[in-house]
Amino acid sequence: MPAPVIAYAASAVAFFALDFIWLSLAVPRLYKPLLGTLLRESPNLPVAGAFYLVYVVGLVVFAVLPAASAGSWLMALGLGALLGLVAYGTYDFTNLSTVKDWPLMVSVVDLAWGISVSAVASLVGYAVLSWFSPSA
């Protein structure tokens, strides 16, 4: 199996599983109380699916594969965290800038989550790729 496919599958499973757990816990405790009527009753699953598909491509291209080429799990962790900072930061800082009464706490927690989940999913992608393709 090609290295990018292995990296994508592993990163996607990790990202989706962790984000599912996070959202199951955070929506009722953080997002719903602070965002109220801004939050949908149920997510738009096709749009969420598109996000996951595209975002994991970013993790693989910008974190997992460069780290695999360098043979560095720390690079996978660091580049994944950096991509999380950039991507989630774009969303959170834009909302702070443009959405009236957007709660700072939502952006702080969401940004921390984005950095963390991106770093871990990239590390998992790197680890699985290294296991299947030690020379990757």
Side-chain angles (χ1 to χ4, degrees), residues 112-126:
W113 173 248
I115 292 167
S116 301
V117 71
S118 299
V120 171
S122 296
L123 183 60
V124 169
Y126 170 85

Side-chain angles (χ1 to χ4, degrees):
M1 192 176 317
V5 174
I6 294 168
Y8 186 91
S11 298
V13 168
F15 191 90
F16 181 75
L18 292 170
D19 212 39
F20 179 81
I21 293 166
W22 166 252
L23 291 173
S24 296
L25 297 172
V27 167
R29 292 178 175 91
L30 174 71
Y31 296 110
K32 189 75 169 167
L34 292 176
L35 297 178
T37 59
L38 289 175
L39 196 62
R40 291 178 178 265
E41 283 301 315
S42 59
N44 182 328
L45 294 179
V47 173
F51 164 75
Y52 286 112
L53 291 172
V54 171
Y55 192 72
V56 174
V57 168
L59 292 176
V60 170
V61 170
F62 298 117
V64 179
L65 294 179
S69 291
S72 172
W73 67 270
L74 281 173
M75 180 181 272
L77 195 67
L79 290 176
L82 180 60
L83 182 60
L85 172 65
V86 171
Y88 280 71
T90 299
Y91 170 80
D92 289 312
F93 295 139
T94 298
N95 285 345
L96 278 171
S97 173
T98 61
V99 178
K100 184 180 178 183
D101 299 325
W102 183 264
L104 175 62
M105 181 58 69
V106 169
S107 286
V108 169
V109 172
D110 192 65
L111 183 59
W113 173 248
I115 292 167
S116 301
V117 71
S118 299
V120 171
S122 296
L123 183 60
V124 169
Y126 170 85
V128 171
L129 179 59
S130 297
W131 188 70
F132 276 101
S133 308
S135 61

